[in-house]
């Protein structure tokens, strides 16, 4: 009997010791969390959440700061921006805004955008630096970017892009912007007219060549982000940069050109391998033609 009581008492003491030890560990963990301090890779702590140098660099690069720039040159403004965002995020959570349908939808969109950006970086990461011979050949092949670089003044009409590309071509074939505006007005399509300048040295090489070759007054069309522009060249002025800058500009243009081709080829493979089903009302014209 005494043995049973002794065993029972020992078990009870062990259980108490475990509970006390667990509570002590939790308390230490909580104290540790509350006493987080900046240092090393951690540049600030906001409500026990670390802000790291890596986060600062990612934030700065997203704002257009070149990769590899000294962190101290952009840290103050960038860090303040990250802190403000963290505080607003904490506020949103306190109001349960992270549980609403808008947050769920936007989070999915932002996650996919981030993953897509990382995928594009990985796809083009194998593109090497062009050789001197390749750079020289590119400069010779694309005079509109270098020796014959121009500033073109365009007169243009812009309007919401129609779903059928044939309508755009029909408008561009009318011969004048006055006729284009009259047709759009008759069809009840909102449109605006204005002038803009285009530097042939800052756009894609093939587009630069085409624009330079167009005679003044000839209509051409371009659709970007749901807006169609029907334009014509009304003025040209030389805008040649110093020849000492050509090699670097050519190397950059070559890399962008190769990156675009690599991405286009990879996207074609991904589309071919994917199963994409459309609601007929939303099916793009190109897909509908297949």
């Amino acid at each position: 009997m005494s043995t049973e009581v002794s065993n029972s008492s020992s078990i009870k003491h062990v259980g108490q010791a475990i509970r006390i030890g667990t509570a002590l560990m939790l308390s230490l963990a909580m104290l540790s969390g509350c006493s987080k301090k900046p240092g090393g890779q951690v540049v600030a702590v906001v409500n026990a959440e670390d802000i790291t140098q890596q986060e600062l660099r990612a934030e700065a690069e997203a704002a257009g700061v070149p990769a590899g720039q000294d962190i101290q040159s952009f840290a103050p403004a960038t860090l303040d921006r990250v802190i403000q965002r963290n505080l607003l995020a904490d506020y949103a959570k306190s109001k349960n805004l992270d549980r609403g349908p808008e947050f769920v939808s936007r989070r999915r969109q932002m996650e996919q955008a981030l993953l897509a950006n990382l995928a594009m970086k990985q796809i083009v990461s194998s593109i090497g630096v062009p050789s001197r011979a390749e750079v020289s050949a590119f400069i010779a092949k694309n005079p509109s970017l270098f020796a014959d670089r121009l500033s073109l003044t365009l007169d243009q009409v812009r309007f919401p892009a129609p779903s059928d590309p044939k309508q755009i071509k029909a408008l561009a074939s009318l011969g004048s912007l006055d006729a284009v505006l009259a047709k759009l007005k008759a069809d009840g399509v909102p449109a605006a007219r204005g002038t803009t300048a285009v530097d042939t040295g800052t756009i894609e090489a093939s587009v630069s060549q085409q624009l330079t070759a167009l005679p003044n007054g000839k209509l051409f069309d371009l659709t970007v982000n749901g807006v169609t522009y029907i334009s014509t060249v009304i003025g040209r002025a030389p805008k040649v940069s110093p020849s000492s800058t050509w090699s670097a500009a050519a190397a950059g243009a070559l890399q962008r050109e190769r990156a675009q081709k690599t991405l286009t080829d990879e996207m074609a493979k991904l589309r071919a391998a994917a199963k994409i089903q459309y609601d007929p009302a939303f099916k793009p014209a190109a897909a509908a033609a297949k």
Side-chain angles (χ1 to χ4, degrees):
M1 184 73 175
S2 61
T3 302
E4 292 177 0
V5 171
S6 177
N7 288 341
S8 175
S9 177
S10 297
I11 292 171
K12 182 178 181 182
H13 289 157
V14 170
Q16 289 177 340
I18 291 173
R19 287 194 294 274
I20 292 171
T22 302
L24 187 59
M25 289 171 64
L26 288 172
S27 298
L28 289 171
M30 291 174 66
L31 287 172
S32 174
C34 293
S35 61
K36 282 186 176 181
K37 293 182 179 180
Q41 288 296 310
V42 178
V43 297
V45 179
V46 180
N47 293 332
E49 289 189 21
D50 295 345
I51 298 175
T52 66
Q53 291 189 29
Q54 183 179 3
E55 288 178 86
L56 275 193
R57 290 192 182 280
E59 181 79 14
E61 287 181 24
V65 175
Q69 187 166 319
D70 179 21
I71 193 170
Q72 293 298 334
S73 66
F74 58 78
T78 304
L79 179 57
D80 187 61
R81 190 162 62 245
V82 174
I83 289 173
Q84 288 188 50
R85 188 171 62 229
N86 280 20
L87 293 173
L88 286 170
D90 287 343
Y91 173 85
K93 291 176 182 176
S94 73
K95 300 297 183 181
N96 294 325
L97 299 180
D98 57 334
R99 301 180 185 179
E102 181 181 359
F103 174 78
V104 174
S105 175
R106 292 291 299 277
R107 179 173 62 182
R108 180 171 182 267
Q109 179 188 35
M110 294 181 73
E111 285 179 350
Q112 287 184 331
L114 175 58
L115 287 171
N117 186 52
L118 292 173
M120 288 190 289
K121 285 185 176 181
Q122 195 276 332
I123 290 169
V124 302
S125 61
S126 60
I127 297 174
V129 177
S131 67
R132 289 185 180 180
E134 290 172 325
V135 167
S136 297
F138 185 84
I139 292 173
K141 183 182 177 182
N142 296 282
S144 62
L145 301 180
F146 305 103
D148 296 336
R149 182 175 175 178
L150 295 172
S151 175
L152 301 178
T153 302
L154 306 183
D155 188 7
Q156 61 185 198
V157 173
R158 63 182 183 276
F159 53 94
S163 57
D164 187 356
K166 292 179 181 178
Q167 295 179 20
I168 300 174
K169 298 304 179 186
L171 287 166
S173 68
L174 292 176
S176 72
L177 292 181
D178 289 338
V180 171
L181 269 177
K183 175 62 175 171
L184 290 171
K185 183 177 180 180
D187 292 342
V189 178
R193 184 172 182 173
T195 60
T196 188
V198 174
D199 182 346
T200 65
T202 61
I203 57 180
E204 186 181 338
S206 60
V207 177
S208 179
Q209 291 175 0
Q210 291 174 24
L211 282 182
T212 303
L214 281 174
N216 287 18
K218 175 72 174 179
L219 297 186
F220 65 93
D221 64 89
L222 178 67
T223 298
V224 180
N225 296 329
V227 178
T228 293
Y229 301 83
I230 295 183
S231 312
T232 184
V233 178
I234 59 173
R236 301 166 190 260
K239 196 173 183 178
V240 181
S241 59
S243 58
S244 59
T245 66
W246 292 359
S247 292
L254 258 176
Q255 286 184 300
R256 289 191 297 273
E257 188 178 273
R258 291 173 178 176
Q260 186 58 55
K261 184 180 186 308
T262 301
L263 287 171
T264 300
D265 291 346
E266 187 62 30
M267 181 54 67
K269 293 177 185 177
L270 293 173
R271 281 185 173 275
K275 182 179 181 181
I276 304 176
Q277 297 175 297
Y278 292 99
D279 179 321
F282 293 89
K283 194 168 187 176
K290 294 181 179 179

